[in-house]
Amino acid sequence: MHVGNLRTALYAYLLAKKNGGDFVLRIEDTDRERMVEGAIETIYKTLKNAGISWDEGPDVGGNYGPYIQSERMHIFKDYARELVKKGYAYYCFCDKERLDQVKDIQKASGIAPKYDGHCRNLSSEEVQKKLKSGVPYVIRQKMPQEGSTTFHDVVFGEITFENSDLDDQILIKSDQMPTYNFANVVDDHLMEISHVIRGSEYLSSTPKYNLLYDAFGWSRPVYIHCPPVMKNSTEKLSKRNGDATFEDLLNKGYLPQAVVNYIVMLGWSPKSEEEIFSLSELVDVFDVSGISKSPAIFDLPKLTAINAKYIRNMSDEEFWSYAEPYVKSVCKRELDFKLLSQMLKTRTEIFKDIPQQVDFIDSLPKYSSDLYIHKKMKTNEENSLDALRKILPILENVDTWSKESVHDALFDLIKSLNLKNGRVLWPLRVALSGKSFTPGGGIELAALLGKDESISRIKKGIEKLESISNQN
Ligand code: ZN
């Protein structure tokens, strides 16, 4: 499910829950040509992962079922016949050849393609005769040819369309199946749908929907059209262009609750400056007046920043429940998970960042002695060798190994040598990790690796620097 679709579902859910309504899941699967294998399962899975539960739907039932549109096919034709009887729809017997001709002529004269109304005024005798002799037909909506249709949209305000621009759209196709637009209106009415939230690309077809409601004498729903989600100032975010779906984002290591939080903020803003909300907090603060008319741009770095905030706010246990598989993918050693979680939490924006941060734990990587040269820390190969030689006996003497005991021992040393911290701790960090970027400093790394491994790595660092000093 792509991000724009999920956003629409979230707005519908939040609006329903905020107002004590029901969120209904209906599967509109009548367009067989556009059916995608596994799509329905993806809808269930995505909504569940996003924390959205439905009050009525195919799997949970309800008083207005069935909730799968293909199981409702028997319903629609009678409604279309009712409109024919009332004069709001008519039988059209035009074949493809004739319709193509009309289209070609319109195209050549630069007119927008539209049904030409050829069958609008057939007499009922003519219609009966054709029906009896089995001429294939469709049922079309009879649009008024004069005047205009106005409706109110919550986001875009009053919108007026000239009726003469409206096409006599097909309601029942020649295979006797309803079109998407027709089934949608009938089902929305039968299921007592009060609010229609959808993309602004539907604004121009809303008058046709409204004329159907009016023709049946049904009350129109409240319309809330949302501006599109863009990937930049000109292109819409779309699955077809390979833009990330909700599932892709989860697979990249984003938290579902962070993605949901961010998606709701795409084109909607709360009244406060606050930007971190759980789904239940969103139910409280959501207000349709905060939906913007301008398109929203999907900003991955912004999502990443929100994800990082979620991670930082986690308890060590919760963090570990997500991080463990990422750590274990490169690191088999038994570790103090609380310490490692504390180290990683503030340095992890998405969980995929983790493996590259812990890849030194199982075994010391090969590294260049250049790493010991650090301008800001004022370290070089020579004074690093000196520092490691002094660190070694100090740490060998630590009996109860912990972050605190290692810290105290090293700071006693730093004080007695009257050096800046970095002169001692930078060489230690390099010797323990073989890297310049690590999820913690020398003290944390030592605590994490344990005494034996730390001592062994410091000795290796000393050997490495000795061999270089001998070469010089
Ligand atoms: Zn016709």
Side-chain angles (χ1 to χ4, degrees):
M1 190 185 287
H2 81 81
V3 164
N5 277 344
L6 179 58
R7 185 189 63 170
T8 306
L10 279 162
Y11 287 176
Y13 173 80
L14 295 173
L15 184 75
K17 293 296 130 187
K18 168 123 194 190
N19 294 289
D22 288 332
F23 179 78
V24 181
L25 177 61
R26 181 175 75 227
I27 301 294
E28 298 185 334
D29 60 342
T30 56
D31 192 343
R32 291 280 145 187
E33 278 166 33
R34 289 178 58 202
M35 280 284 276
V36 176
E37 188 85 27
I40 295 173
E41 286 65 35
T42 302
I43 291 169
Y44 287 144
K45 208 171 118 194
T46 303
L47 294 179
K48 277 179 185 155
N49 279 335
I52 296 177
S53 55
W54 43 100
D55 302 290
E56 298 170 30
D59 52 344
V60 297
N63 295 328
Y64 301 87
Y67 292 91
I68 294 184
Q69 211 162 44
S70 57
E71 294 169 15
R72 304 172 63 82
M73 284 303 135
H74 56 285
I75 294 174
F76 305 106
K77 226 179 137 185
D78 284 345
Y79 280 101
R81 284 207 196 98
E82 184 187 330
L83 287 184
V84 172
K85 224 178 273 168
K86 287 177 162 174
Y88 293 110
Y90 59 92
Y91 290 92
C92 166
F93 300 93
C94 296
D95 55 19
K96 191 178 175 298
E97 206 184 343
R98 181 174 183 275
L99 293 173
D100 286 345
Q101 252 171 20
V102 170
K103 215 183 272 172
D104 288 344
I105 293 168
Q106 286 170 336
K107 213 173 159 189
S109 356
I111 305 171
K114 192 180 152 205
Y115 179 65
D116 67 349
H118 184 257
C119 301
R120 272 176 82 105
N121 300 310
L122 292 179
S123 70
S124 62
E125 291 76 30
E126 283 173 287
V127 169
Q128 288 312 319
K129 212 174 110 195
K130 283 185 194 281
L131 287 178
K132 258 188 206 132
S133 57
V135 182
Y137 66 90
V138 300
I139 297 179
R140 287 183 186 273
Q141 190 177 353
K142 199 175 207 171
M143 299 297 177
Q145 288 171 311
E146 286 160 7
S148 57
T149 300
T150 298
F151 66 95
H152 179 80
D153 179 81
V154 170
V155 176
F156 290 88
E158 294 276 296
I159 296 191
T160 300
F161 283 89
E162 292 305 316
N163 290 334
S164 55
D165 290 339
L166 302 176
D167 191 11
D168 283 356
Q169 67 171 341
I170 295 174
L171 305 178
I172 299 289
K173 297 180 277 189
S174 57
D175 62 3
Q176 304 303 294
M177 293 291 150
T179 54
Y180 167 78
N181 285 341
F182 187 56
N184 188 277
V185 166
V186 172
D187 279 347
D188 274 2
H189 169 74
L190 294 177
M191 293 185 178
E192 298 184 8
I193 302 302
S194 56
H195 291 68
V196 170
I197 305 185
R198 58 188 178 191
S200 56
E201 69 271 21
Y202 282 97
L203 269 173
S204 61
S205 46
T206 304
K208 300 181 196 171
Y209 283 71
N210 280 333
L211 288 165
L212 285 173
Y213 280 99
D214 295 352
F216 282 116
W218 299 339
S219 59
R220 299 176 180 183
V222 175
Y223 289 104
I224 302 167
H225 286 90
C226 304
V229 181
M230 312 287 286
K231 70 182 211 181
N232 53 44
S233 57
T234 54
E235 288 170 282
K236 257 177 94 166
L237 199 71
S238 87
K239 211 172 111 187
R240 219 172 306 141
N241 293 338
D243 296 324
T245 63
F246 181 68
E247 214 169 358
D248 292 337
L249 292 171
L250 301 197
N251 290 337
K252 280 184 184 169
Y254 289 92
L255 293 162
Q257 57 272 40
V259 180
V260 164
N261 191 151
Y262 177 65
I263 287 179
V264 170
M265 304 292 225
L266 279 172
W268 173 82
S269 33
K271 293 197 170 79
S272 67
E273 294 294 306
E274 182 67 45
E275 62 172 8
I276 302 296
F277 296 102
S278 68
L279 194 58
S280 62
E281 287 166 340
L282 282 167
V283 169
D284 289 334
V285 297
F286 188 74
D287 187 332
V288 286
S289 68
I291 298 176
S292 161
K293 267 186 230 184
S294 4
I297 294 181
F298 184 84
D299 182 10
L300 196 65
K302 178 73 193 164
L303 168 60
T304 306
I306 287 182
N307 201 67
K309 280 192 187 176
Y310 271 83
I311 289 177
R312 235 173 292 147
N313 290 336
M314 283 178 170
S315 69
D316 296 337
E317 286 75 14
E318 193 186 2
F319 176 82
W320 186 246
S321 73
Y322 286 100
E324 188 175 7
Y326 292 93
V327 171
K328 294 271 167 77
S329 70
V330 293
C331 170
K332 309 280 176 252
R333 191 188 286 264
E334 276 301 313
L335 292 165
D336 177 349
F337 86 87
K338 268 182 108 66
L339 176 61
L340 183 59
S341 296
Q342 285 156 15
M343 291 164 69
L344 288 172
K345 232 170 17 180
T346 54
R347 295 170 175 90
T348 302
E349 290 189 309
I350 59 173
F351 288 99
K352 277 237 160 127
D353 295 343
I354 289 179
Q356 59 185 16
Q357 296 195 76
V358 297
D359 57 3
F360 67 92
I361 293 175
D362 269 7
S363 63
L364 183 66
K366 283 207 169 74
Y367 66 97
S368 156
S369 60
D370 290 349
L371 288 186
Y372 286 105
I373 306 168
H374 196 298
K375 218 171 156 190
K376 205 172 134 220
M377 303 292 182
K378 297 194 165 56
T379 58
N380 54 40
E381 289 159 323
E382 209 181 348
N383 65 20
S384 291
L385 174 59
D386 192 43
L388 290 180
R389 279 175 173 158
K390 293 199 165 82
I391 291 169
L392 183 62
I394 297 286
L395 290 187
E396 279 175 330
N397 269 330
V398 173
D399 289 329
T400 319
W401 195 262
S402 72
K403 196 171 135 189
E404 288 69 33
S405 59
V406 170
H407 173 275
D408 292 348
L410 288 170
F411 272 85
D412 284 347
L413 174 68
I414 289 166
K415 212 172 153 195
S416 71
L417 297 173
N418 196 23
L419 289 174
K420 288 251 194 259
N421 300 350
R423 279 281 304 278
V424 172
L425 297 180
W426 182 259
L428 178 62
R429 181 199 288 230
V430 173
L432 293 179
S433 66
K435 300 176 77 173
S436 48
F437 292 101
T438 54
I443 295 168
E444 287 167 304
L445 296 181
L448 187 72
L449 290 169
K451 185 169 178 177
D452 292 348
E453 184 64 20
S454 297
I455 297 294
S456 143
R457 291 187 184 192
I458 292 167
K459 284 180 177 164
K460 279 183 193 148
I462 291 173
E463 279 166 32
K464 189 180 195 90
L465 290 168
E466 276 174 349
S467 72
I468 286 170
S469 97
N470 290 342
Q471 280 165 22
N472 297 339

